[in-house]
């Protein structure tokens, strides 16, 4: 898993940065990527990356402010022209379905793949055998949600030496053991998976928050996460402005990382007053006084999701 930021600015785009969107690249895990928010010109940013819209599987929208959704109708329309034929599911707050349907209907856009829009008000919004996505309401001017993506633990690797000692050769029995099944051997022995499997491989946790003031639900979603993506619209000297606009400062983001016990923090959603990466350095340094393992989101740069033991 890797995160690729497609937009890191708050409110409006600037010459240096686009508005909010990020891709969770999951090509090793499921040969797809998921998109979180879709601000204006997100599809242009995708064209500048190695991502292909045909591989887009899911879109998660945090809230319905324009800098997080104005790129969605165009992206949905363009996906079919870029080889997208598989089902695409879009998740987000109530009102999202109307926005998508009205935009596509009035523009007479033709969607030639299966498109499903699922509205939610928090809770478990997606689950399969490999991942769970949970959501909680944050504290913003409109309903804004954070997402907690949990990779489920996987069985440990098979001990080939031990399997050979039991007289087993590669074949279907290996798969049965990996699935947790007990095997009856020809000599009457019973072989349990734990006899030949290494320690389970712990799944990773990624938390991606929408716009928010400091709140309890942000910490709950980020609890013990391997990676937390948190807005940091302002430096802490503008904490009153942050509060009035329902946003966070760099220090407040770092405080949440400490309280939640996360491994790594990436700051994003920067005010356009901070023109470029050089002007963002003080914001980063400020956060690092509270939580050292903090990074700045940079557009079209890959951030691996490390597996912490």
């Amino acid at each position: 898993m890797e995160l690729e930021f497609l937009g890191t600015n708050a409110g409006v785009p600037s010459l240096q940065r686009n508005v909010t969107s990020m891709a969770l690249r999951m090509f090793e895990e499921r040969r797809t990527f998921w998109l979180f928010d879709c601000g204006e010109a997100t599809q242009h940013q995708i064209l500048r990356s190695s991502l292909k819209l045909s591989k887009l599987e899911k879109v998660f929208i945090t809230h319905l402010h324009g800098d997080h959704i104005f790129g969605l109708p165009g992206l949905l329309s363009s996906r079919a022209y870029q080889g997208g034929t598989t089902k695409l599911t879009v998740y987000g707050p109530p009102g999202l379905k109307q926005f998508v349907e009205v935009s596509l209907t009035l523009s007479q856009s033709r969607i030639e793949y299966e498109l499903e829009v699922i509205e939610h008000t928090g809770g478990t919004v997606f689950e399969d055998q490999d991942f769970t996505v949970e959501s909680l309401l944050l504290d913003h001017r409109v309903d804004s949600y954070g997402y907690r993506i949990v990779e489920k633990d996987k069985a440990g690797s098979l001990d080939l030496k031990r399997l050979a000692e039991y007289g087993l050769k590669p074949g279907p029995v290996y798969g049965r053991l990996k699935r947790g099944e007990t095997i009856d051997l020809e000599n009457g022995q019973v072989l349990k998976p734990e006899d030949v499997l290494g320690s389970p491989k712990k799944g990773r946790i990624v938390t991606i928050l929408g716009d928010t003031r400091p709140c309890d639900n942000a910490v709950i979603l980020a609890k013990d996460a391997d990676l937390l993506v948190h807005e940091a619209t302002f430096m802490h000297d503008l904490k009153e402005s942050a509060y009035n606009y329902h946003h966070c400062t760099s220090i407040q983001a770092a405080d949440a990382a400490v309280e939640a016990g996360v491994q790594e923090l990436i700051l994003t959603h920067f005010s356009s007053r901070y023109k470029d990466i050089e002007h963002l350095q003080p914001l980063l340094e400020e956060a690092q006084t509270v939580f050292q393992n903090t990074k700045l989101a940079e557009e079209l740069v890959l951030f691996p999701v490390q597996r912490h033991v």
Side-chain angles (χ1 to χ4, degrees), residues 158 163 173-181 183 191 193 196-197:
L158 288 167
L163 287 165
V173 68
Y174 279 27
R176 291 175 60 191
L177 288 165
K178 287 280 283 186
R179 290 192 297 271
E181 297 179 23
I183 305 297
L191 181 60
V196 292
L197 284 175

Side-chain angles (χ1 to χ4, degrees), residues 21 46 61 114 182 223 305:
S21 183
I46 288 175
I61 299 297
E114 183 180 357
T182 298
K223 182 66 175 174
V305 181

